[in-house]
């Protein structure tokens, strides 16, 4: 499979923000979100076997692995990598853009499912059937650029009863939407979600790679 980068860092997002994790960032993405912050992963990368990836990860003193992208499920071997890591005692997270079938993932993998808001320009690519394969261990994420995105996300959360399924995260587009404004909307609506900030960008800055 083609991998852009492998590194150890602090998880900057999800309800696991702040813990040490190993990142496996795969190459390639089938979407082109307007606010994408990992465009370098569209094409950069080298080929690795699953065994090679596991050997690299085993060198670190960490048992949490995030498989991300790009879009990791574009890689045919990604579900096999995730299953291999689960069977080797890792806690595995797969961050997916919501346009690919997540049912192929091992049941012990924690799925971080992105639902693209209209502001991303990619909302038409959502695979809604994925909601049938989300458990209470998984998380659903919305990244909102403005009030229109927030209102849209709120309508999806309410109509699909997402907060009854799993943790729901709402994040502002970095440097585009003031987190204070997003927090005010959530508080005003008493929305049962978790406000998420990209912690790594506040620690190292928005353009630093490998962190």
């Amino acid at each position: 499979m083609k991998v852009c980068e492998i590194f150890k860092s602090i998880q900057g997002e999800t309800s696991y923000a702040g813990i040490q994790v190993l990142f496996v960032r795969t190459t390639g993405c089938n979407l082109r979100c307007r606010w994408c912050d990992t465009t370098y992963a569209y094409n950069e990368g080298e080929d690795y076997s699953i065994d090679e990836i596991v050997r690299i990860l085993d060198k670190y003193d960490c048992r949490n692995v995030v498989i991300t992208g790009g879009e990791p499920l574009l890689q045919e071997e990604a579900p096999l990598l995730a299953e291999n890591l689960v069977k080797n005692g890792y806690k595995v997270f797969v961050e997916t853009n919501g346009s690919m079938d997540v049912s192929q993932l091992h049941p012990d993998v924690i799925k971080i499912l992105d639902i693209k808001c209209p502001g991303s320009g990619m909302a038409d690519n959502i695979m809604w059937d994925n909601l049938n394969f989300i458990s209470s261990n998984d998380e659903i994420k919305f990244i909102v650029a403005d009030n229109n995105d927030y209102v849209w996300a709120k309508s999806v959360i309410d109509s699909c009863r997402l907060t009854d399924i799993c943790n729901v995260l709402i994040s502002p587009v970095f440097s585009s939407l003031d987190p204070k404004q997003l927090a005010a909307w959530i508080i005003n609506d008493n929305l049962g979600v978790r406000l998420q900030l990209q912690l790594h960008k506040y620690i190292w800055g928005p353009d630093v790679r490998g962190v």
Side-chain angles (χ1 to χ4, degrees):
M1 60 188 296
K2 198 165 187 179
V3 175
C4 178
E5 55 187 352
I6 299 174
F7 58 95
K8 181 181 179 182
S9 188
I10 299 295
Q11 173 61 292
E13 303 181 50
T14 79
S15 62
Y16 296 88
I19 69 170
Q20 294 184 66
V21 297
L22 303 173
F23 283 95
V24 178
R25 186 183 305 284
T26 62
T27 301
C29 189
N30 57 321
L31 303 186
R32 292 295 184 267
C33 297
R34 293 192 179 104
W35 37 254
C36 182
D37 55 4
T38 52
T39 55
Y40 60 88
Y42 290 168
N43 300 299
E44 290 184 21
E46 299 180 6
D47 290 323
Y48 291 84
S49 69
I50 289 176
D51 287 343
E52 287 174 324
I53 295 170
V54 172
R55 282 197 295 271
I56 292 170
L57 296 175
D58 281 344
K59 294 178 181 179
Y60 293 94
D61 185 19
C62 182
R63 305 305 290 179
N64 303 309
V65 178
V66 176
I67 303 174
T68 187
E71 171 47 55
L73 295 182
L74 284 176
Q75 303 276 345
E76 183 179 350
E77 302 90 344
L80 295 175
L81 172 63
E83 181 176 357
N84 185 299
L85 292 170
V86 166
K87 291 180 176 178
N88 279 280
Y90 284 93
K91 188 168 190 174
V92 180
F93 306 79
V94 171
E95 297 181 344
T96 174
N97 65 24
S99 70
M100 306 291 293
D101 179 13
V102 302
S103 67
Q104 58 189 310
L105 291 169
H106 189 281
D108 289 339
V109 169
I110 298 171
K111 297 178 285 293
I112 311 299
L113 180 73
D114 202 337
I115 295 182
K116 298 298 183 183
C117 295
S120 70
M122 295 289 120
D124 291 341
N125 295 277
I126 300 166
M127 184 177 286
W128 292 104
D129 285 349
N130 277 332
L131 296 180
N132 296 320
F133 303 101
I134 297 298
S135 74
S136 59
N137 294 323
D138 302 320
E139 302 194 347
I140 293 172
K141 178 175 69 172
F142 295 85
I143 301 177
V144 302
D146 51 30
N147 185 253
N148 288 334
D149 275 357
Y150 172 77
V151 171
W152 184 89
K154 182 176 180 295
S155 70
V156 173
I157 292 166
D158 291 341
S159 62
C160 297
R161 303 180 64 87
L162 295 185
T163 54
D164 293 339
I165 300 173
C166 65
N167 282 336
V168 178
L169 316 164
I170 295 188
S171 177
V173 174
F174 189 84
S175 76
S176 177
L177 175 62
D178 188 339
K180 289 184 288 187
Q181 179 62 76
L182 179 55
W185 294 334
I186 292 172
I187 293 168
N188 184 66
D189 291 332
N190 196 32
L191 198 60
V193 301
R194 179 187 293 265
L195 172 62
Q196 168 182 276
L197 302 178
Q198 292 178 296
L199 183 62
H200 51 291
K201 292 185 177 179
Y202 289 91
I203 297 173
W204 290 288
D207 301 317
V208 180
R209 291 174 53 170
V211 296

